[in-house]
Amino acid sequence: MKKTIGIIGAGNIGKTIAAHLLKKGYAVNVSNSKQPDSLKETIVQLGNGATAVTATEAAEADIVILAIPWLQVKTLTNITDWRDKIVIDATNHYISSDFQMADLGNRSSSEIVQEHLPDSRVVKAFNTLNFKLLAADPVQANGHRVLFISGDDNEAKAQVSEMIKGIGFAPVDLGSLSAGKLQQAKGALALQNFIKL
Ligand SMILES: NC(=O)c1ccc[n+]([C@@H]2O[C@H](COP(=O)([O-])OP(=O)(O)OC[C@H]3O[C@@H](n4cnc5c(N)ncnc54)[C@H](OP(=O)(O)O)[C@@H]3O)[C@@H](O)[C@H]2O)c1
């Protein structure tokens, strides 16, 4: 029996990741900023295995994916006890609709996410590709589309890698959360579409 994955954010990126997980037999609990009723159509579109829940309920899963605007992450601090939870940070640190970016100082955007979710185990992933490309078949030209990951907890990265492989992508580990600067918005690997042969 595969793990249930919680997804906070049911927009472009949340639905795209959910679709890949559902195709491979994961159960997915999807949430947005409103009550679950507001996700009726989304659940019909996603099909079997998808359930609409509150963000608090989505955060109860063993692995929780953040697919919300970066500035909203701080609203999640008290919705659950984040201790030891694996959190996949799919956000990019845009702070306006015209793609202005937060001033991060010398930190990576996921290090700030980590600060907002105390004692969780944050792994950055799923943030580098536009959702339309991410939605496409990850098996291409006898290879697998690369998803970069970064994080400070090796066991969490191992579980995220296994999940990423399970849905057909090739995980490539960049190292620490700080190294995640390479994959965050405007980093050298942002928007790069690699196929691992
Ligand atoms: N779009 C892409 O191609 C892409 C690619 C890589 C990474 N990303 C990153 O992924 C994140 C989401 O982008 P998106 O394009 O999917 O955005 P989107 O289509 O606007 O969807 C955002 C979702 O987040 C939900 N949300 C907002 N605030 C929330 C909160 N406080 N609690 C729970 N849910 C909340 C929204 O729910 P409501 O409808 O209730 O407001 C909506 O379901 C962003 O950080 C973005 O930078 C996007």
Side-chain angles (χ1 to χ4, degrees), residues 43-112:
I43 294 302
V44 171
Q45 276 169 20
L46 289 174
N48 273 350
T51 306
V53 298
T54 62
T56 299
E57 287 163 343
E60 281 163 16
D62 295 323
I63 298 183
V64 183
I65 301 176
L66 306 184
I68 62 177
W70 186 78
L71 277 179
Q72 287 295 316
V73 174
K74 59 178 177 284
T75 69
L76 306 179
T77 302
N78 294 316
I79 66 167
T80 193
D81 178 0
W82 290 101
R83 200 175 326 152
D84 292 335
K85 228 173 249 304
I86 296 176
V87 174
I88 299 179
D89 175 21
T91 70
N92 281 312
H93 57 291
Y94 297 114
I95 54 172
S96 67
S97 52
D98 61 347
F99 299 106
Q100 296 205 47
M101 300 170 79
D103 178 358
L104 302 173
N106 197 29
R107 291 177 296 173
S108 68
S109 63
S110 289
E111 286 178 302
I112 294 173

Side-chain angles (χ1 to χ4, degrees), residues 20 59 149 181:
H20 281 297
I149 67 168
K181 285 175 191 161

Side-chain angles (χ1 to χ4, degrees), residues 8-14 32-34 55 67-70 72 75-76 90-92 94 126-127 129-131:
I8 302 182
N12 291 324
I13 209 77
N32 61 7
S33 69
K34 309 180 193 84
I68 62 177
W70 186 78
Q72 287 295 316
T75 69
L76 306 179
T91 70
N92 281 312
Y94 297 114
F126 292 104
N127 72 300
L129 300 174
N130 178 274
F131 75 97

Side-chain angles (χ1 to χ4, degrees), residues 19 69 71 82 114 128 132 137:
L71 277 179
W82 290 101
Q114 174 72 75
T128 53
K132 289 183 184 159
D137 188 348

Side-chain angles (χ1 to χ4, degrees), residues 84-188:
D84 292 335
K85 228 173 249 304
I86 296 176
V87 174
I88 299 179
D89 175 21
T91 70
N92 281 312
H93 57 291
Y94 297 114
I95 54 172
S96 67
S97 52
D98 61 347
F99 299 106
Q100 296 205 47
M101 300 170 79
D103 178 358
L104 302 173
N106 197 29
R107 291 177 296 173
S108 68
S109 63
S110 289
E111 286 178 302
I112 294 173
V113 167
Q114 174 72 75
E115 282 169 21
H116 289 313
L117 309 178
D119 302 319
S120 66
R121 300 185 281 163
V122 175
V123 178
K124 189 161 195 68
F126 292 104
N127 72 300
T128 53
L129 300 174
N130 178 274
F131 75 97
K132 289 183 184 159
L133 179 56
L134 186 66
D137 188 348
V139 181
Q140 295 282 321
N142 300 323
H144 296 260
R145 198 181 313 287
V146 166
L147 289 182
F148 297 104
I149 67 168
S150 51
D152 293 338
D153 186 298
N154 287 334
E155 208 266 324
K157 281 196 291 192
Q159 286 199 45
V160 173
S161 292
E162 187 192 321
M163 190 191 92
I164 284 175
K165 277 188 206 150
I167 61 172
F169 291 85
V172 171
D173 185 354
L174 300 175
S176 66
L177 266 195
S178 174
K181 285 175 191 161
L182 281 169
Q183 74 179 95
Q184 71 191 24
K186 302 284 189 209

